[in-house]
Amino acid sequence: MVEMSRILPILVQFGGGALLCWVGVHAGLKSGYLDLNLAQDRRALVIVVGGYLALLVLYCAFTFWLPFMTIEVDT
Amino acid sequence: MAPEIVAPEALGTRLDLVVMVAYFVTVVGFGVYFGRYSTTTKDFYLGGQRFAWWVIAFSGIATTIGSYSFVKYSEAGFNYGISSSQAYMNDWFWMPILMFVWLPIIYYARIQSVPEYFERRFGRSSRIVAMIITLLYLIGYVGINLLTIGTALHTLLGWNIYTGALIAGITVTLYVFAGGQTSVIMTDLVQGMTLLIVGMGVLIAGVWYLGGFPSFWSYLPEDHRFLFSEWNKPDQFSFIGIYGQDGLANTGAFVLMNQGMVMRFLALRSVKDARKMAIFWILILYPLAAITVSSGGWIARALMESGAIDPATGSAFTTTASSAFIHAADFLCTPGVFGIVLAALMAALMSTTDTLINAVSAVFVNDVYRPYVRKAAPDRHYLRVARIASLVTAAVGFALVGIFDRFGEIYRAHGAFTAAITPPIVTAIFLGILWKRFNAAGALATMVGGSALVFVSLSPPFDAWLVGPFSFGMGPDSYSFTRALFGLTASLTLGIIVTMLTRPQRADEIVGLVNGTQLEAMRRYKGGEINRVPGKAVYLAVQPDPTIEDDGEMARVPAKVMEGMAAKEGDLAYVCDARWWFGGLRSVHVKLGPPCEDDGVHLGPQAIKRAHFKPGEPVYIEKLF
């Protein structure tokens, strides 16, 4: 069972991160500079979201799974 | 005074020393060679705005890995495990603000320094405050870097601290003087690759020695295998403390207010390349950088836990946290190879120092000399002043080595100063670019009031009163980290309150400087309506055209080529050597003229000279907008 003190960092980092990302994307869309009619802008948005999710998966793996994975080592 | 690599005796052998000296000579030669591409102030500060994304990404990573990163993060890696990398993993969340707001503002408004942004957005008073703060911070940091280099060379090779600092200072200054940003970028490209190769090499060698990744992983204590430290413990490495300091204040500072990085972004050939660079840099190179600077600590811990025997001494491998990187590298490397590791350490130190010296020179010329000393002089004059400013900065930095070394209070004062001014300036830029209502009074209140409050919070009992509520149950040991959260909150609150109580700025005063006006900034940059229809890059041969007699910024291509580029007369375009490995070094920005009849891209003699093209040489041309 993973302790809350290990889960809270994920919630804060990715909650705060989502807020920062939203501010930037919203600002870009509202200004018209981020134009979803343009393929390169759509691609940029997909990469932003994809990068966010990739980091989330990475941090979850290193919190809930990999720390508890060990093998027997000959000493 | 500088973070010290504690070693019982000088570790390097004579062969390592030879490798180090060869590295110094190579870096200087490389930088001086590329100095020939620097003939204007635009070249000296912004590298001629011609570089491809991958060049800036690799050179930027060398700047990111700071003077004592290897010591600091390997120490954290040794003590706390892979969570030592968490400080490097926050930047992605700032990406949208960087890509869609800040980059287009600084690029299209042709802003060359952070203080210049403050003047154009808020007025002269804000610029003066920002300029004083920026110069004090940067010059102090040059001194700290040189002291760190001197200390590292003293520990590793037994050199006198001042001798090491002087040699490194002269090395860096030589190529900054010769080529400014162009030389800095090209040398940092090499230094960035050296850093990554060595850092990853130490990790791979260590994992190999331990019998593979599963063995390495098993030797790490379980609490060393988490990517985040715990929420509020230990006091000096809790998640919330590091998040406030690194995730918010320092990362925000790196993205928004770091003069060296602002100049690096502006050295890119286009905002499109800036996007590519930022994505590759933050998503790929940053995690690699985190591994590079931390891996020595992880490997050292695993080696100790495994009971590895040092063949040199016949006893079990042992180290202290602060020497983890250097001892792990020394354990794993043969003489000569260890010299390359030492060269990588020097690369980390020098690549930060060169950026700082160039940045100080830029701020001095752009924010002090040009507006207050000599307003309208030929570019040649400002280039000469820029070079002299680089020399003076290095000399002042070297003088500070002695002061910082003798008077610990001044060294600590600079650290406190940096901690105090970072949150308020980040907040001022953040509000300035995102909130139209934010005004000059609000910016001054944010910077001056916010800094004052953070300074007050440095002393007891105010630290407990002000920072305590932001420490989430941790003790005074956490204040150095959690103070950033207090600083951000205080600055944000002051800025909002003062702005709401005072009159807003006129809308026409802030066009191109705040979100919502990026497209207008693009129109002003181009001098006409923008064309965002996607087009293709087209490969052609250079055709010298003596009839193009303007200042060399026009190009003519056949009508069918313009069609392929989806370009019209008057659009901005970029012509670049077709060989990708030049990374944009041989290139030029042009405005498209009327179509020509024959094949090839017609360029004036000035453009050909500036781009270092030869007639008939293959190049590609692509529309910017």
Side-chain angles (χ1 to χ4, degrees):
Chain A
M1 185 69 182
V2 176
E3 292 170 18
M4 202 57 195
S5 66
R6 295 284 184 191
I7 298 171
L8 270 174
I10 295 181
L11 295 177
V12 170
Q13 172 101 342
F14 286 89
L19 186 64
L20 278 172
C21 284
W22 178 82
V23 167
V25 170
H26 176 73
L29 286 171
K30 202 176 159 202
S31 68
Y33 178 73
L34 176 63
D35 182 355
L36 295 184
N37 292 314
L38 299 173
Q40 68 174 39
D41 283 9
R42 283 198 301 275
R43 221 168 18 243
L45 192 56
V46 168
I47 290 171
V48 166
V49 176
Y52 177 93
L53 293 175
L55 284 173
L56 181 59
V57 168
L58 183 75
Y59 274 90
C60 285
F62 276 95
T63 300
F64 299 110
W65 174 41
L66 290 169
F68 309 105
M69 197 183 77
T70 52
I71 61 158
E72 289 298 315
V73 181
D74 297 329
T75 53
Chain B
M1 290 303 101
E4 193 167 356
I5 304 163
V6 182
E9 57 191 27
L11 289 170
T13 62
R14 188 161 292 192
L15 184 58
D16 297 321
L17 182 62
V18 170
V19 172
M20 279 268 298
V21 171
Y23 181 78
F24 274 120
V25 172
T26 307
V27 166
V28 173
F30 205 68
V32 171
Y33 172 78
F34 286 103
R36 70 198 183 113
Y37 287 89
S38 226
T39 54
T40 64
T41 48
K42 190 178 172 187
D43 297 329
F44 196 81
Y45 292 136
L46 308 179
Q49 288 199 310
R50 60 177 147 221
F51 286 99
W53 61 271
W54 60 271
V55 177
I56 301 297
F58 278 104
S59 72
I61 216 68
T63 306
T64 307
I65 297 176
S67 55
Y68 51 87
S69 299
F70 276 102
V71 183
K72 179 180 168 185
Y73 292 105
S74 283
E75 184 175 0
F78 185 82
N79 285 331
Y80 307 111
I82 64 170
S83 59
S84 60
S85 62
Q86 62 190 322
Y88 274 79
M89 305 292 274
N90 302 293
D91 299 63
W92 189 255
F93 308 113
W94 288 85
M95 273 286 288
I97 292 174
L98 175 66
M99 280 203 303
F100 306 134
V101 185
W102 184 228
L103 274 177
I105 286 175
I106 56 173
Y107 203 96
Y108 296 127
R110 299 177 197 271
I111 284 164
Q112 293 197 15
S113 70
V114 173
E116 185 185 351
Y117 174 77
F118 275 97
E119 168 152 6
R120 290 172 60 181
R121 176 68 175 86
F122 304 114
R124 181 145 288 197
S125 312
S126 300
R127 179 184 202 158
I128 292 170
V129 172
M131 184 257 293
I132 291 170
I133 287 173
T134 306
L135 279 178
L136 284 174
Y137 163 71
L138 289 174
I139 294 172
Y141 207 30
V142 172
I144 286 174
N145 268 271
L146 290 176
L147 175 59
T148 311
I149 293 176
T151 309
L153 286 171
H154 169 69
T155 312
L156 298 171
L157 297 171
W159 292 3
N160 177 285
I161 287 177
Y162 299 103
T163 308
L166 186 64
I167 289 174
I170 290 172
T171 305
V172 169
T173 310
L174 272 176
Y175 65 78
V176 175
F177 181 85
Q181 182 73 273
T182 306
S183 295
V184 169
I185 287 169
M186 296 312 290
T187 50
D188 283 8
L189 173 68
V190 176
Q191 308 210 77
M193 288 178 175
T194 307
L195 283 169
L196 291 178
I197 290 167
V198 166
M200 298 306 290
V202 167
L203 179 67
I204 291 166
V207 169
W208 182 274
Y209 180 89
L210 290 162
F213 189 80
S215 301
F216 159 70
W217 195 244
S218 298
Y219 283 127
L220 286 180
E222 188 179 292
D223 63 349
H224 278 52
R225 299 183 204 145
F226 290 86
L227 261 178
F228 280 134
S229 47
E230 289 192 68
W231 170 252
N232 61 353
K233 61 184 178 185
D235 280 8
Q236 292 185 319
F237 204 72
S238 68
F239 164 80
I240 190 62
I242 290 173
Y243 180 70
Q245 187 190 52
D246 285 320
L248 296 177
N250 287 350
T251 306
F254 194 72
V255 168
L256 300 177
M257 67 166 266
N258 184 310
Q259 175 66 23
M261 288 316 295
V262 165
M263 290 164 66
R264 209 54 71 83
F265 283 127
L266 293 174
L268 284 153
R269 61 188 172 195
S270 68
V271 173
K272 187 177 152 190
D273 268 64
R275 279 189 191 182
K276 281 189 192 171
M277 175 262 175
I279 290 166
F280 181 71
W281 182 50
I282 295 175
L283 204 56
I284 309 292
L285 292 183
Y286 247 56
L288 291 180
I291 294 171
T292 293
V293 295
S294 300
S295 61
W298 309 341
I299 291 295
R301 170 60 73 174
L303 284 171
M304 268 181 62
E305 297 289 334
S306 73
I309 302 295
D310 188 342
T313 60
S315 53
F317 172 83
T318 184
T319 184
T320 57
S322 61
S323 300
F325 175 81
I326 208 71
H327 277 155
D330 188 41
F331 179 82
L332 294 165
C333 297
T334 56
V337 176
F338 186 62
I340 299 172
V341 174
L342 299 186
L345 271 176
M346 287 308 108
L349 298 159
M350 294 198 300
S351 58
T352 306
T353 311
D354 59 16
T355 305
L356 289 167
I357 291 174
N358 193 234
V360 172
S361 169
V363 172
F364 174 75
V365 172
N366 198 49
D367 299 296
V368 181
Y369 191 80
R370 202 191 296 256
Y372 297 110
V373 181
R374 194 162 166 192
K375 276 185 180 157
D379 189 68
R380 208 174 51 253
H381 173 78
Y382 292 123
L383 182 61
R384 197 163 57 242
V385 175
R387 289 198 157 111
I388 294 168
S390 302
L391 286 180
V392 173
T393 304
V396 173
F398 182 70
L400 285 174
V401 170
I403 295 172
F404 283 152
D405 193 35
R406 284 184 197 173
F407 304 102
E409 295 75 22
I410 297 176
Y411 179 86
R412 280 189 287 277
H414 184 268
F417 174 74
T418 305
I421 55 107
T422 302
I425 294 205
V426 169
T427 308
I429 299 176
F430 183 84
L431 291 174
I433 60 174
L434 288 165
W435 190 27
K436 286 181 182 168
R437 180 72 174 76
F438 190 55
N439 60 13
L444 275 175
T446 303
M447 287 194 289
V448 179
S451 299
L453 281 172
V454 180
F455 271 119
V456 170
S457 79
L458 289 166
S459 310
F462 302 105
D463 56 352
W465 298 348
L466 298 171
V467 186
F470 294 86
S471 295
F472 296 87
M474 293 181 284
D477 282 351
S478 73
Y479 291 171
S480 60
F481 289 89
T482 52
R483 183 168 287 110
L485 275 178
F486 161 71
L488 289 169
T489 310
S491 306
L492 196 69
T493 309
L494 272 174
I496 292 172
I497 290 173
V498 173
T499 297
M500 295 311 290
L501 294 175
T502 48
R503 280 195 309 180
Q505 283 175 264
R506 290 207 325 264
D508 61 317
E509 288 176 343
I510 55 174
V511 172
L513 303 166
V514 66
N515 182 54
T517 61
Q518 292 96 316
L519 294 179
E520 183 53 32
M522 288 174 81
R523 282 185 203 104
R524 290 183 179 192
Y525 182 88
K526 182 182 174 184
E529 201 50 46
I530 55 177
N531 173 7
R532 300 182 85 188
V533 179
K536 290 180 179 165
V538 181
Y539 287 79
L540 297 165
V542 173
Q543 298 283 344
D545 188 342
T547 63
I548 299 175
E549 288 179 347
D550 62 358
D551 60 357
E553 289 185 352
M554 192 174 83
R556 296 176 66 197
V557 292
K560 64 174 189 241
V561 170
M562 285 180 82
E563 200 177 312
M565 294 167 62
K568 298 179 206 153
E569 189 179 335
D571 283 350
L572 298 180
Y574 172 77
V575 189
C576 182
D577 193 306
R579 292 165 290 185
W580 67 269
W581 61 87
F582 274 104
L585 194 62
R586 293 183 173 183
S587 63
V588 66
H589 284 89
V590 291
K591 193 168 240 186
L592 290 171
C596 58
E597 296 299 322
D598 55 341
D599 285 341
V601 52
H602 287 231
L603 293 167
Q606 283 299 319
I608 290 177
K609 188 180 169 198
R610 279 179 53 196
H612 296 260
F613 291 152
K614 293 188 182 82
E617 204 168 49
V619 294
Y620 72 84
I621 180 166
E622 74 178 319
K623 181 191 70 186
L624 295 177
F625 60 90

